[in-house]
Amino acid sequence: MSVLHTVVWFLVAIAILVVIHEFGHYLAARLAGVKVLRFSLGFGKPLFSRRFGRDQTEWVLAALPFGGYVKMLDEREGEVPAAEAHRSFNRASVWRRIGIVAAGPIANFLLAIVFYWALFLHGMPAMKPLIGEPPAGTPAAQAGLVSGDEIRRVNGADTPSFQDLRLELLRAGVAGDPLVLELADGRSVQLAAPPMDTENLERDTLRPLGIAGYAPAIDPVIGEVLPGGAAARAGFQSGDRLVAANGKAVTTWQDWVKLIRQHPSQSLRIEYEREGQMRELTVVPDTVDENGQRIGKIGAGPKVDPALMDDLMTEVRYGPVEALGRGAEKTWDMSLFTLEMMGRMVVGQVSWKNLSGPLTIADYAGQSATLGWISFVGFLALVSVSLGVLNLLPVPLLDGGHLMYYVAEVLTGRPVSERTMEIGSRIGMTLLLLLMSFALFNDLQRLIGG
């Protein structure tokens, strides 16, 4: 995946999310009778500018595409003609100001609902919540779970796909809740879950439970050879059937993966079959760092029978009305989960290393776009939820900080002083700079560490 591809889709994602967020502020201001002077996508020098509408609002595309803003008529920011003073933001009632400020995050939540509704209506292909054979001694094995079991619910929450299963197990694990699993065959089991490692939630946090996705035995036939990889350099081709390594038979693709991972930068003498004839090649797996561990990879994928994959896949689809309800429920659940994770970071229950910045988001944007529009829309919905939650935090400079001032005004009956807001802005700027610096540091750590 090229850097240009990643940058383009990151900018597309930012443009969609920022435009919707700022349009929420814009529309609420118009409905409240407040004059909007400028709607800007991006910051800095304008690259494109046009005026439209009765108020001749200036619509701007600026040079720095990381955000945007809506500038409203305000007597605190400049001289306002007496004839238009009543349309100033500062003269709007406190409830109207609350509505205008809250409209941005609300627009992000509504966008997420629409995206999830569209995905549920169209149908989302996903892996069934089937599990592989739990390793001996793990909580899953002790509870009697076996390979092929389908987990339908976790603590009462539906898990129609393995992704949903992983999310519910992660949520319960972080909270330290006991795990009650309901299976497709009618069984209900309880897992004595060990404390979850929250140092890096991007790693496989389910393995301590003994739970992993079901993977049927795959024939060791190469289906894809990546250009420039160790397999390509050695001379392997699509259709080659791998038979033995260093004289020892290896019968499944999974066993080959395990073998190659254990031999980074070490020569392997491979016997294979091509067009009915036995041949031999030597391959040296490339060394790759994976979560601090050196493993081997050769850059080859298996040839998988489509019928086999069909048995493992499901489609999460609902009718128009139910899809809308599911979309709203999904948005609510993800909002609560995002807020919960932020809270656990603050109190130290979850590591700050899980915080992601623009580089990680850009990478995910590019990856999801490569996988297709369904993945990209799902990515947009998730980030839109996160953006809505983040903007509602009671931090000065964010929408939530302004709402905090207006709630104080409602309670005290008088506006917060300019001095208080100035101090708050300095504190907010410091907090946001620290947060962004830490997120960027985490991005660079992931980038350097692979």
Side-chain angles (χ1 to χ4, degrees):
M1 186 172 59
S2 69
V3 174
L4 179 60
H5 176 275
T6 298
V7 170
V8 167
W9 284 108
F10 174 62
L11 294 179
V12 169
I14 290 296
I16 293 173
L17 298 175
V18 170
V19 165
I20 294 299
H21 179 94
E22 297 303 333
F23 190 75
H25 291 311
Y26 169 82
L27 186 60
R30 292 293 303 271
L31 292 175
V34 173
K35 184 175 181 178
V36 179
L37 302 177
R38 175 182 290 179
F39 186 113
S40 178
L41 175 58
F43 299 97
K45 183 180 179 180
L47 302 177
F48 172 85
S49 176
R50 289 289 185 276
R51 294 185 180 275
F52 298 102
R54 178 173 58 89
D55 289 333
Q56 287 295 287
T57 300
E58 184 184 18
W59 299 79
V60 175
L61 177 63
L64 299 176
F66 304 106
Y69 64 93
V70 168
K71 180 178 176 59
M72 288 168 269
L73 192 68
D74 195 316
E75 292 174 306
R76 295 167 301 180
E77 297 181 4
E79 190 172 338
V80 175
E84 291 194 318
H86 66 287
R87 300 188 64 194
S88 297
F89 177 79
N90 62 289
R91 292 205 183 188
S93 70
V94 65
W95 291 109
R96 291 192 177 190
R97 280 178 276 141
I98 287 175
I100 293 171
V101 172
I106 290 173
N108 284 123
F109 294 132
L110 292 176
L111 179 65
I113 291 173
V114 170
F115 279 157
Y116 283 131
W117 172 77
L119 291 174
F120 286 136
L121 186 62
H122 176 272
M124 291 187 290
M127 297 292 294
K128 292 179 180 179
L130 301 170
I131 66 169
E133 187 67 33
T138 60
Q142 293 170 355
L145 296 178
V146 297
S147 178
D149 277 342
E150 183 174 353
I151 302 175
R152 293 287 183 83
R153 292 180 184 83
V154 174
N155 293 349
D158 290 337
T159 54
S161 69
F162 191 83
Q163 181 183 16
D164 293 310
L165 171 62
R166 187 181 188 280
L167 177 62
E168 293 303 328
L169 289 174
L170 176 63
R171 174 180 291 173
V174 170
D177 296 334
L179 296 173
V180 178
L181 312 181
E182 298 176 46
L183 279 61
D185 60 11
R187 285 183 295 155
S188 179
V189 300
Q190 184 166 349
L191 264 62
M196 181 171 288
D197 179 14
T198 61
E199 185 71 11
N200 188 344
L201 295 177
E202 290 185 357
R203 297 178 183 174
D204 191 354
T205 54
L206 305 186
R207 289 201 178 277
L209 298 174
I211 291 179
Y214 177 72
I218 300 174
D219 286 341
V221 178
I222 295 178
E224 180 184 13
V225 179
L226 298 180
R233 295 195 302 270
F236 286 106
Q237 298 178 9
S238 176
D240 289 345
R241 175 180 288 273
L242 308 179
V243 177
N246 294 340
K248 294 183 179 180
V250 184
T251 58
T252 69
W253 184 268
Q254 287 90 336
D255 289 337
W256 277 102
V257 171
K258 187 182 301 183
L259 176 72
I260 290 167
R261 287 172 64 92
Q262 294 171 349
H263 290 80
S265 301
Q266 300 176 41
S267 295
L268 292 171
R269 180 169 48 86
I270 308 297
E271 296 174 50
Y272 66 100
E273 180 184 343
R274 178 184 296 174
E275 298 176 351
Q277 296 184 355
M278 293 300 299
R279 308 187 183 192
E280 185 177 295
L281 284 172
T282 298
V283 65
V284 180
D286 295 324
T287 299
V288 178
D289 184 89
E290 184 177 270
N291 297 326
Q293 181 182 6
R294 290 163 60 86
I295 64 168
K297 286 191 176 184
I298 63 172
K303 184 178 182 180
V304 181
D305 183 359
L308 181 64
M309 289 304 299
D310 288 342
D311 292 338
L312 302 179
M313 299 297 292
T314 185
E315 185 177 61
V316 183
R317 181 199 294 264
Y318 305 101
V321 176
E322 187 176 4
L324 183 60
R326 293 279 182 169
E329 182 182 357
K330 180 77 169 178
T331 300
W332 175 254
D333 286 344
M334 294 309 300
S335 299
L336 290 181
F337 185 61
T338 301
L339 189 60
E340 180 184 358
M341 293 301 292
M342 289 180 177
R344 292 186 183 278
M345 284 185 187
V346 171
V347 299
Q349 293 179 350
V350 171
S351 173
W352 284 87
K353 291 182 179 180
N354 294 288
L355 190 65
S356 296
L359 298 181
T360 298
I361 295 173
D363 183 41
Y364 287 166
Q367 290 185 36
S368 62
T370 300
L371 294 173
W373 74 268
I374 292 179
S375 294
F376 187 64
V377 170
F379 163 78
L380 287 177
L382 182 60
V383 178
S384 192
V385 168
S386 300
L387 187 61
V389 172
L390 180 64
N391 270 281
L392 284 178
L393 296 179
V395 177
L397 297 183
L398 296 179
D399 293 331
H402 293 291
L403 292 175
M404 179 177 61
Y405 293 146
Y406 301 148
V407 169
E409 182 177 341
V410 170
L411 296 176
T412 62
R414 62 180 184 275
V416 175
S417 69
E418 293 288 338
R419 177 60 178 167
T420 299
M421 286 193 288
E422 181 183 347
I423 295 173
S425 295
R426 293 178 181 176
I427 295 174
M429 178 65 73
T430 302
L431 289 175
L432 290 178
L433 285 175
L434 288 173
L435 190 66
M436 288 188 292
S437 298
F438 202 89
L440 186 58
F441 175 77
N442 287 343
D443 283 354
L444 294 174
Q445 287 283 88
R446 294 187 186 102
L447 186 64
I448 295 171

